Amino acid sequence: GETRITLEWGTTPSDLDAHLVGPVENSSTRFHIYYPEKGYLINDAMLDKDDTEGNGFETTTIYRQYEGRYVFSVFDFTNQYDYNSTAMSLSGARVRVYQGNQCVATFDIPTNKKGILWEVFAIEGNRIIPINNVTNHLDAQFYTY
């Protein structure tokens, strides 16, 4: 079955972005889905809804899961150049993971943390592995997991 990931938050910051990195079938490369690259249908995953005006709700779906590690994270696009920003950690952001119609995991952003990237969780097979870390280390998150 499919895995659906929702991201919701309050009025500020106005633009948080869902990111999903995962394996490409029969390859050692990885895909990266986010606002300018909303779909990677060759791997059956897509950013279904993007929000840029606060009170956000974004949805990412893995329609077909392949062997390997998927990592979901949230990027504070609004404050992307302010590494001392606490705006994202004060946003009330919440991520829910659904398998079929059932919510199987919920993550609330850690509060009062400086950073523009929230590393939320990983998926390996049928395991959801919490990461729940706010950081500024963008390259490590998006390309090396």
Side-chain angles (χ1 to χ4, degrees):
E2 67 185 37
T3 299
R4 186 170 37 95
I5 306 160
T6 63
L7 164 64
E8 52 192 290
W9 70 97
T11 56
T12 58
S14 60
D15 192 4
L16 295 183
D17 287 325
H19 287 252
L20 179 67
V21 177
V24 174
E25 184 181 28
N26 299 319
S27 174
S28 62
T29 60
R30 298 179 59 70
F31 70 81
H32 181 187
I33 294 173
Y34 62 116
Y35 69 95
E37 298 291 334
K38 293 182 180 178
Y40 205 89
L41 291 178
I42 199 166
N43 281 296
D44 300 309
M46 178 175 281
L47 174 63
D48 304 303
K49 183 179 182 315
D50 183 37
D51 190 305
T52 62
E53 298 176 2
N55 291 313
F57 191 81
E58 296 196 3
T59 304
T60 304
T61 305
I62 303 169
Y63 294 98
R64 181 174 171 197
Q65 186 175 326
Y66 296 103
E67 184 177 330
R69 184 177 176 98
Y70 292 77
V71 177
F72 183 82
S73 57
V74 178
F75 178 64
D76 183 352
F77 188 83
T78 301
N79 297 291
Q80 64 184 302
Y81 301 111
D82 182 0
Y83 292 145
N84 290 312
S85 175
T86 58
M88 183 171 59
S89 72
L90 298 174
S91 68
R94 174 174 284 161
V95 169
R96 289 187 175 103
V97 183
Y98 295 86
Q99 292 177 333
N101 291 326
Q102 181 178 359
C103 181
V104 295
T106 300
F107 299 93
D108 292 317
I109 191 163
T111 57
N112 295 315
K113 301 285 184 179
K114 292 180 182 179
I116 57 173
L117 181 72
W118 175 25
E119 301 166 306
V120 185
F121 68 91
I123 298 174
E124 290 183 12
N126 62 0
R127 295 183 319 135
I128 297 172
I129 304 160
I131 300 172
N132 216 25
N133 183 44
V134 177
T135 183
N136 288 314
H137 301 288
L138 303 180
D139 290 339
Q141 167 61 32
F142 294 140
Y143 299 106
T144 62
Y145 275 94

